[in-house]
Amino acid sequence: MNILVVTGGYSIFDAKGQLNGFLAHLTDKNLSDKGHKVKFSDTTKDTYDVDREVDKLLWADTIIYITPIMWFNMPAPMVEWLDKVLLYEKTFVITKEYGEGGQVPADNFMIVATSNMKSSDLGKGFVLKDAPHIDDLLQPIIMTNNYLSVRNQVATFHAGDVIAGDTSWIEEAYMKHLDKHFTTKNLS
């Protein structure tokens, strides 16, 4: 399987973006060891070539977004990357029925989200009362993929409480998540 990993972690406040980079490394190792081809798009680099990024997007069978949740959305570099890479008549066309003109051939997408909120915070308090699941906060990226005709969402992995809390559980839990959702490619 051809897998594009799109990363958006960067330094802000007390977060240094290192966890997102580490999760990208784990993704590469786990999926490459299973025989999948993995390419990366680092949205925090301002030197990327848009045509090359579009080519990677159109090459992928699966897209994995590794992103911190910034103010209940993707970080600005990831939004900017999408703004530049999602091109009319390359990744989508306008159709009579809104949202049915996606041109991205990938079948699947997965979101790996990091945040300082605990999973137990979801659905509680004034701010999160209407968001009982992490995907409730990730609707912009979910809807964007659906618009592009990438409509099979692999379960989201949420690494929460990453600044103040214990993060020692993340590596093992993430590897189990990848093993559950991505099998070894038949190399015969």
Side-chain angles (χ1 to χ4, degrees):
M1 183 180 326
N2 296 335
I3 299 172
L4 175 61
V5 178
V6 180
T7 62
Y10 66 103
S11 181
I12 186 169
F13 306 125
D14 289 336
K16 305 300 178 223
Q18 296 165 328
L19 177 57
N20 289 274
F22 181 61
L23 290 167
H25 165 75
L26 293 175
T27 304
D28 185 25
K29 177 156 180 34
N30 182 289
L31 299 179
S32 293
D33 286 352
K34 291 177 178 163
H36 301 289
K37 294 177 185 165
V38 181
K39 292 184 181 181
F40 289 87
S41 290
D42 183 346
T43 66
T44 65
K45 304 289 185 212
D46 58 2
T47 57
Y48 58 77
D49 176 86
V50 171
D51 290 332
R52 192 172 310 142
E53 295 299 302
V54 172
D55 288 345
K56 287 190 278 187
L57 188 60
L58 296 175
W59 163 87
D61 299 312
T62 296
I63 306 162
I64 298 175
Y65 300 90
I66 301 177
T67 181
I69 296 175
M70 307 296 294
W71 301 114
F72 308 100
N73 201 347
M74 299 169 277
M78 189 171 282
V79 173
E80 181 180 22
W81 182 85
L82 290 167
D83 284 346
K84 290 179 178 179
V85 172
L86 301 183
L87 299 175
Y88 180 63
E89 294 186 340
K90 287 193 178 185
T91 62
F92 71 96
V93 296
I94 304 299
T95 58
K96 191 172 190 172
E97 185 174 345
Y98 186 82
E100 295 303 318
Q103 303 293 304
V104 176
D107 293 319
N108 313 296
F109 73 98
M110 181 176 84
I111 304 168
V112 179
T114 59
S115 74
N116 199 40
M117 80 183 84
K118 300 175 201 77
S119 291
S120 61
D121 292 333
L122 293 165
K124 296 180 181 169
F126 185 82
V127 174
L128 296 173
K129 67 182 176 201
D130 294 325
H133 190 275
I134 193 65
D135 283 352
D136 295 323
L137 300 177
L138 300 169
Q139 285 304 300
I141 191 70
I142 292 169
M143 293 174 74
T144 298
N145 277 272
N146 291 170
Y147 184 89
L148 298 171
S149 295
V150 186
R151 297 184 175 167
N152 181 31
Q153 183 180 359
V154 176
T156 299
F157 181 84
H158 176 222
D161 198 18
V162 299
I163 295 175
D166 173 27
T167 58
S168 63
W169 64 274
I170 294 172
E171 180 175 359
E172 181 179 349
Y174 184 55
M175 296 305 270
K176 285 181 181 177
H177 185 85
L178 289 173
D179 289 342
K180 178 179 178 181
H181 297 288
F182 296 89
T183 59
T184 300
K185 182 178 178 184
N186 185 351
L187 301 175
S188 58

